[in-house]
């Protein structure tokens, strides 16, 4: 992961879906002086992070409804998704494009892109993300960042077996 964070020059995290939350289980901070700090060990509502949303997008609708039974969702910032209906529409877009984006939904000034890490273990859901100050991670970069993350995520998945 260190090579990925250096090539992207951003902080890279691995997250695991833990119920309706994402738990950050690994992190490497990028080399830039101004960067997003590691979230290693933090637990956050999955629907407020790119890491969590890319994993939620893989769930069947009944399982998503079981995890998030209420229409109104907790918001961390004023840009967080606040309803299950809006989340479901966003998860459909994530499934189509293959990656999730967070633009100030979990922290003001922070943007991130995440992809799923393929695993063979039943029920284990992992994702890889790159997070940066939002002025350094623009919409025009999402697809290329997602492509780099997907390559790394596939290598991680292969190592996990």
């Amino acid at each position: 992961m260190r090579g990925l964070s250096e090539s992207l020059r951003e902080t890279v995290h691995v997250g695991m879906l833990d119920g309706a939350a994402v738990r950050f289980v690994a992190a490497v901070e990028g080399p830039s002086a101004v960067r997003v700090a590691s979230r290693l060990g933090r637990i956050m509502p999955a629907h407020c992070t790119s890491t969590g949303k890319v994993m939620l997008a893989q769930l069947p609708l009944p399982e998503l409804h079981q995890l998030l039974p209420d229409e109104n969702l907790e918001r961390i910032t004023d840009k967080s998704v606040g309803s299950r209906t809006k989340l479901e529409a966003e998860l459909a877009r994530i499934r189509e494009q293959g990656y999730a984006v967070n633009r100030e939904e979990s922290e003001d000034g922070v943007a991130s892109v995440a992809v799923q890490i393929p695993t063979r273990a039943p029920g284990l859901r992992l994702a890889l993300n790159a997070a940066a100050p939002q002025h350094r991670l623009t919409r025009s970069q999402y697809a290329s960042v997602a492509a780099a993350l997907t390559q790394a995520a596939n290598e991680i998945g292969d190592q996990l077996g």
Side-chain angles (χ1 to χ4, degrees):
M1 246 179 31
R2 184 167 304 283
L4 178 63
S5 70
E6 289 168 358
S7 69
L8 291 173
R9 304 198 56 75
E10 307 306 345
T11 301
V12 178
H13 295 97
V14 173
M16 179 175 71
L17 193 61
D18 187 2
V22 61
R23 178 184 305 268
F24 293 97
V25 296
V28 176
E29 290 184 343
S32 300
V34 176
R35 63 181 176 262
V36 174
S38 167
R39 290 185 170 173
L40 183 61
R42 287 192 59 193
I43 299 172
M44 302 178 78
H47 67 278
C48 294
T49 69
S50 61
T51 307
K53 289 188 289 185
V54 79
M55 292 183 286
L56 291 174
Q58 306 309 311
L59 298 177
L61 199 55
E63 191 173 343
L64 178 69
H65 286 189
Q66 186 176 16
L67 288 177
L68 301 169
D70 299 323
E71 174 61 21
N72 293 323
L73 302 175
E74 173 187 2
R75 298 176 78 186
I76 295 176
T77 72
D78 63 348
K79 296 184 179 175
S80 300
V81 176
S83 76
R84 193 175 68 190
T85 300
K86 286 183 181 178
L87 177 63
E88 289 174 9
E90 185 166 353
L91 296 180
R93 282 191 302 276
I94 291 166
R95 285 188 290 276
E96 287 176 18
Q97 67 190 13
Y99 62 90
V101 173
N102 169 355
R103 194 137 191 98
E104 296 189 287
E105 294 173 61
S106 60
E107 188 172 338
D108 292 333
V110 174
S112 67
V113 175
V115 300
Q116 180 182 0
I117 297 172
T119 64
R120 293 188 188 112
L124 179 62
R125 301 202 192 293
L126 300 172
L128 183 64
N129 93 357
Q134 73 166 352
H135 69 276
R136 273 206 329 255
L137 184 55
T138 63
R139 285 176 172 77
S140 65
Q141 296 171 295
Y142 294 165
S144 63
V145 170
L149 289 171
T150 298
Q151 181 178 352
N154 288 335
E155 290 172 13
I156 293 168
D158 288 346
Q159 291 176 9
L160 293 173

